[in-house]
Amino acid sequence: MPIRNFSIIAHIDHGKSTLADRLLQATHAVSDREAREQMLDSMDLERERGITIKASAVTVQHTYKGQEYELNFIDTPGHVDFAYEVSRALTACEGAILVVDATQGVEAQTVANAYLAVENNLELIPVINKIDLPAAQPERVAMEIEQVLGLPAEDCMYVSAKTGKGITELLDAICEKLPPPRPPEVEETRALIFDSNYDDYRGVIVYFRVFDGELNVGDKIRMMGTGRTFQITELGRHRPQPEKVKTLGHAQVGYMVAAIKTLEDVRVGDTITLDARPASQPLPGYKEPQQMVFCDFYPATASAESPSAGKKGEFEALRDAINRLHLNDASFTFETEHSEALGFGFRCGFLGLLHMDIVQERLEREGGVEIVQTAPTVSYQVELTGGEIVEIHNPADLPDPSTIRSIREPIVKVEIICPTENIGDLMRLCEGRRGTFKAQKFISEGRQILDYELPLAEIIYDFYDKLKSITRGYGTMDYDIVGYRQDRLAKVSILVNNVPVEALSLICHRDNAEQRSRLILQKLKKQIDRHQFEIPLQAAIGGKIIARESIKAVRKNVTAKCYGGDITRKRKLLEKQKEGKKRMKTIGSVTIPQEAFMAVLDQGE
Amino acid sequence: MPPLHTSTTAQITIEAPAIQGKNRAVTIEGILLADRPGGPRQWDIPGVYIHVPFCFHKCHYCDFYSIVDSHDRQQAFTQRLIQELNAASPVLCRSGPVETIFVGGGTPTLLAAQQWEHLLGVINRVMPHLDRREFTVEANPETVTAELADVLLSGGVNRVSIGCQSFNHHHLKTLERWHDPENVFRSVEILRQAGLANFNLDLIFAIPGQTLDDWLDDLDRTLALQPTHISCYGLMYEPNTPLTVKMKAGRIQPVEQDLEAQMYEATIDRLAAAGFEHYEISNWARQPLNPMATANRCRHNMIYWTNRNWWPLGPSASGHVEGLRWKNVPRLGEYLDGGPFPPIIDVEQLDQDGRIGEQFMLGLRLIEGMKLEEVEALLSHGRRGQQRRLAIERSLSEGYLVGLNGSLRLSRRGLLLADSVIAPLI
């Protein structure tokens, strides 16, 4: 039976998951009754946020011109943070359906994903979705696709995943236009891992595509990247319900269970071969996921002074939650961290900002823990005077300035698609964030692409929010790491009552260090209550104070009236005053509310 | 002052109030006064507080229970209050002598003279005049008449507390306080004519927009009236008052903390120079000729601050007997419908440790502080004696508390930060 392996790629919310569901329904893989929205996304969080986080693969059959085809549909994550995963899923395919919303047009991730597909030599079928909506402008969107991506407008297919219009034609086009899988290149078995997840009962479930040879239940396999070996206990494919099989052969897509205990042992992009007859070369393209954004997670109520007693439990609960989540998502890293301000917690690394948000949300939701998150930072490369290069992802770890020759920071290429009238404001935003203008391209009447190179550190907090507010929601962006660049960076330490508070320190450009520092100190001044003494707030680079503020001593804190009827209420108010302090962190003799640790984030534009 | 450790809370247990059916409201009778073997209980109840909930206008800073109401309900209220007084009579007669009565509001002087006459007759029957040392009625400057003054005085009232708050029209407007400052002078004059010179003036400082000079001017005018007692309160933004709503909406700007502190310190100095004894955080009494005498302090309020017992009458009035605190229902309709004891709410029986906390909260409000023996006794009881001792030692070393003449008291600096000092002791 001829095989077609394909993905669906789209900007977020352009209807990828709905289209996938409709394809399953049209091939009778699921009954209409079973069809629920976003069938392929299994996590609640995905369903709620309308994004696909974990890729899945589904096998269906379609008859075209009297011939039965096996269609393997590989779902991909929609967001740039998972670009590597998208890219792995794409390498398992020969073609991709590029979905564009007929009411929105080409967006930043449409472009980014289309480029990824083209880089992986995939044949693209442009599909304009949501043509049933009154605001749909399919012809205009087709022109945008031609203008921006160079795909002829007349090749676009028009569908409505909601009503089912155009779905059969799309299935036919998949059979007709997408190329068949390449023939085997080597005799030994090679299969590409494009996804994995963790099941409490069966351990790690590995999703793969066979490129060469075949895999059978009982085979002893070897992961070429990690060198680990396992015995296959189960093979199967999703239709979309799992269906066990004995063998998966050339070009087929499926899953395996092989008593693999942790996701660490399975790297997306790695090549599976047989232990007895290993291939000499792995399939190309494997690389380690790169964590680019880092922050600390602390239990929300733990006190700095006493990780013991009842407080210990909160840290333990957080650790359990992180361990559990890590079984499902090995692409974030974590290590124990202790901060004098926030007590015991974890330093975590993420692929990007959305990834960070999702991990935090999953920890809170699935792990039932409350988290205080510190300001995210990026990963810096520090060249020491001895020539050695160290990678740091916590301002606190920055070596002594006298031993530093240079600091390099990650630079991203940001592609913004926005209404033409916002170009000026967005350019000002980018210039203010140390951006370098790269290009400005026309998409269609009223919409443009703006390319900038920006330090990742400048976009990790509120850049996206600013973009959205400037464009009233119409702007979209995508970014990709393009490398590291040296700049005049320095660590700014924040001193509260003359005590440096590492959790508040930051690395920033010298030119805006003073301005940033002043804003942070003003923020802290508002966040920290007056104490019984004056509290100096200082920002320093090395020994040099670059900004200062002070929190005046409390002058008056006394309940004026306390008579018979007031006693209970006043007592409760005072108890609250005392209680309130418990949720604060005490550094030296200053109590700092947890929110203050986020103060460093605000760039205050 | 009764030593606390002889009146531990364990002596009273709240029994499940005898509620038969859903509609039967809880009353103090059900909790405290239920018949029990061994005869009725007896407590020393030296104070009685009566709440009159009527106002002709609700001031914007006020969080006391009051309603703007017609004369009809004032008559009904008077009748109902008399019923409650009669019901409480056995308790009050059984207890030791009632030393003080305080009628607050609301605006007690809104009741008509003949209603007062009627009420005072019953009060004097239930609480014989002989026992009494202080009988205060709160008065609104707009409502004092010669007729009413005569009724009050002949009914045994020997102290009047006038809410003047400020003499400045503009600041009174900010508080939405509707009275003409001239009427304060007029009221004082009427009272003096009637033979009453023992009066308190209530003042508020740190009103939005007020300057230090404005405040000193208010103080001077107050002193010129030669009151026996002055209460000065820093304006408090009580929850659910229009003033607080305006403040939160940014429509008024609270006085800056440093200025408020300055105003408070200026008050302390100014009133000391004028011969007033600062005896509680917000209260000053004119020094009698004998400097050791405390005759002009408000005895009734001293009952609160020394954590003694008092009995409440009227809607929303709060009471306290041996660690049991409660409040009469704060809705006039329900008050009028209940009886003879009104429904009560917010019933609270603190344990020993909680009572010790309250003892510190109240006792340290007094400028003379708490006797060291009493402090020691309190610290040797309760779950958190050691924590409290450490907190006291810290405040002593920081200079917010001082030991003076065998007492533990707030220092001048400590006065301004009393809440910070007291919070860890609760």
Side-chain angles (χ1 to χ4, degrees), chain A residues 530 532 552 554-565 567-571 574-575 577-578, chain B residues 63 233 236 238 256-258 260 265 282-283 301 304-305 348 358 365 400 416 418-420 426:
Chain A
R530 286 181 171 204
Q532 290 176 20
K552 281 199 262 182
V554 58
R555 280 294 308 280
K556 190 166 186 289
N557 178 27
V558 48
T559 302
K561 277 191 179 186
C562 188
Y563 295 101
I567 292 168
T568 301
R569 197 157 53 93
K570 302 299 182 207
R571 191 192 73 238
L574 287 174
E575 276 168 357
Q577 215 177 81
K578 188 169 65 169
Chain B
D63 69 332
Y233 309 107
M236 291 167 75
E238 301 287 358
E256 219 273 316
Q257 192 184 111
D258 297 293
E260 190 180 344
E265 294 211 82
S282 302
N283 287 280
N301 288 340
Y304 300 146
W305 298 320
E348 182 181 47
E358 282 191 347
R365 291 188 68 87
Y400 297 117
L416 280 88
D419 286 1
S420 313
I426 286 183

